[in-house]
Amino acid sequence: MSHETVYAIASGKGGVGKTTTTVNLGTALSEAGERVAIVDADLGMANLAGFVSLTPDSTTLHDVLAGDASIDDATYRLADNIVAVPSGTNLDEYAETSPEGLREVIEKLRSQFDYVFLDVGAGISHETVLPLGLADAVVLVSTPEPAAVHDTKKTIELTDRSGGEVAGLVLTRTRPDGDVSHDEIADRLEVPLLGAIPEDPAARDSVYAGTPLVVFEPQGPAAVAYRRLATELTGIEIPVPEGSDESDETESKATATGSASDDGREAAHDDVSSAITEAESDP
Ligand code: ADP
Ligand code: MG
């Protein structure tokens, strides 16, 4: 292959921001015109369900892995240039899935999309480890907290053992002061630091809105950091979405690392969130 296009987004500890990272990296690249698929490879949890409205009958990755559906049937358009492959919520279906089928799913998506992001479950189960070796590279997600950083070591080890490649570390929910130096954390893990995403209340708000953060509040500190991360990872420059320039503050916010204020919060997400709502049921 010419360059890396399939990334596993992984962590040792749960709740550190993997799904947020998957959704926002993917959306940022789609805004630059790249065709993107995000895949809920965390099979036991419905991570992407908030972005795709599923009925109990909807086809999901569970059906594909159980051999009952094709990947196209489990692919849902989120917005221009981006689709999601959600996993189901039904535990009975889940019991019938065979993670091995994931290899085929990934290769199919690789041939159809410019980038594929796999939202991988935390921990050390087989279904978690498998994607680490199937992806071209693994993006490690951790908060700066010692327990999370410690568990990241395990994910690095698992990646090595499954023949995978670590792209680097993304620190999430960072704070302006009080964190150990981000470079030092990456140095200790002996992996490159890809980026740091500041703590930002818009992250949670965007989940309730069912809209990716980079669309929900494009000028907020976390959204800015996610666009920067996408560029760091792929080399692709991400345009700042139009309609979000609530006059004067735009550029200065974009250069700050985590110090942006709370104003302009309700900027311009309506268009896209309604676009997503319209697209939700479009298989
Ligand atoms: P994971 O997929 O690793 O379990 P999530 O992406 O679901 O983690 O994030 C866990 C929680 O942390 C969610 O409530 C999410 O909104 C919140 N969160 C993620 N990133 C940030 C951030 N940069 N600032 C504030 N909250 C965040
Ligand atoms: Mg998740």
Side-chain angles (χ1 to χ4, degrees):
M1 90 206 65
S2 55
H3 68 297
E4 292 164 350
T5 64
V6 179
Y7 291 97
I9 312 296
S11 72
K13 205 170 172 297
V16 296
K18 282 184 305 293
T19 299
T20 306
T21 299
T22 303
V23 167
N24 286 289
L25 266 181
T27 304
L29 286 165
S30 74
E31 288 180 334
E34 300 296 313
R35 290 165 306 161
V36 176
I38 58 178
V39 181
D40 203 343
D42 185 353
L43 295 175
M45 305 281 249
N47 288 279
L48 302 180
F51 297 94
V52 185
S53 66
L54 299 174
T55 68
D57 295 334
S58 301
T59 305
T60 68
L61 185 57
H62 286 180
D63 302 305
V64 179
L65 296 180
D68 296 335
S70 78
I71 181 67
D72 292 339
D73 296 334
T75 301
Y76 297 80
R77 182 180 169 279
L78 292 185
D80 282 350
N81 299 325
I82 182 164
V83 302
V85 181
S87 96
T89 51
N90 185 326
L91 283 178
D92 294 337
E93 275 175 15
Y94 169 57
E96 289 164 23
T97 63
S98 130
E100 278 69 25
L102 201 58
R103 179 187 304 274
E104 223 176 292
V105 166
I106 291 170
E107 292 319 310
K108 182 86 193 292
L109 294 172
R110 180 201 291 285
S111 70
Q112 292 179 333
F113 294 90
D114 297 316
Y115 289 95
V116 179
F117 294 98
L118 310 170
D119 186 356
V120 181
I124 58 171
S125 71
H126 177 56
E127 71 174 64
T128 296
V129 177
L130 190 73
L132 304 178
L134 294 177
D136 298 334
V138 176
V139 173
L140 303 163
V141 178
S142 178
T143 66
E145 283 169 24
V149 173
H150 183 264
D151 284 353
T152 303
K153 282 188 212 155
K154 288 182 215 158
T155 308
I156 296 173
E157 243 178 77
L158 290 170
T159 303
D160 288 344
R161 272 199 250 165
S162 49
E165 195 80 48
V166 170
L169 174 70
V170 176
L171 288 172
T172 52
R173 315 195 67 164
T174 61
R175 296 175 178 280
D177 37 49
D179 293 343
V180 184
S181 140
H182 301 157
D183 287 315
E184 207 176 303
I185 294 172
D187 283 353
R188 244 192 288 141
L189 293 170
E190 301 180 317
V191 297
L193 182 64
L194 295 171
I197 314 296
E199 174 76 20
D200 184 345
R204 186 174 295 259
D205 297 345
S206 73
V207 172
Y208 285 106
T211 307
L213 183 58
V214 293
V215 171
F216 182 73
E217 194 177 300
Q219 307 300 343
V224 169
Y226 273 121
R227 284 198 296 272
R228 195 177 293 152
L229 171 65
T231 300
E232 176 69 25
L233 194 63
T234 65
I236 292 167
E237 288 295 333
I238 314 293
V240 179
E242 278 177 45
S244 52
D245 51 352
E246 298 279 290
S247 66
D248 32 297
E249 55 188 353
T250 311
E251 277 313 308
S252 57
K253 264 193 176 180
T255 50
T257 47
S259 56
S261 58
D262 281 356
D263 38 313
R265 181 127 292 178
E266 61 287 330
H269 68 271
D270 285 349
D271 290 355
V272 188
S273 69
S274 58
I276 289 178
T277 311
E278 277 165 32
E280 269 168 352
S281 51
D282 178 10

